[in-house]
Amino acid sequence: MLTARREHVAQRAALAAFVVIVLTFLAGVGTMMSGSAWLSFLMSAGFVAAAVLDVVMGARALARRAEVAG
């Protein structure tokens, strides 16, 4: 998130990824404490959402690099 802010690339995606990762962590803790299948599902969905947001940030960073170099 700090790198995205410093480089001015995908700041919203970085913030969204940070929030998703925190919520995914909390869902994982809740899963371990309660054994809830729904919290386990939320944890796995959060992992997928974080991965998608990371790909978005990487794609935007590569596009910015090509723009600056080109």
Side-chain angles (χ1 to χ4, degrees):
M1 191 165 118
L2 296 175
T3 301
R5 292 183 85 197
R6 182 177 62 238
E7 299 296 327
H8 303 293
V9 176
Q11 293 178 22
R12 281 188 165 176
L15 179 59
F18 178 73
V19 169
V20 166
I21 289 169
V22 169
L23 292 174
T24 300
F25 174 78
L26 293 174
V29 170
T31 298
M32 289 190 311
M33 292 176 68
S34 69
S36 170
W38 282 108
L39 288 176
S40 180
F41 172 76
L42 289 176
M43 183 178 61
S44 63
F47 173 79
V48 171
V52 168
L53 289 167
D54 285 342
V55 169
V56 167
M57 286 187 294
R60 288 186 183 170
L62 288 174
R64 168 119 177 169
R65 181 186 292 176
E67 179 182 297
V68 170

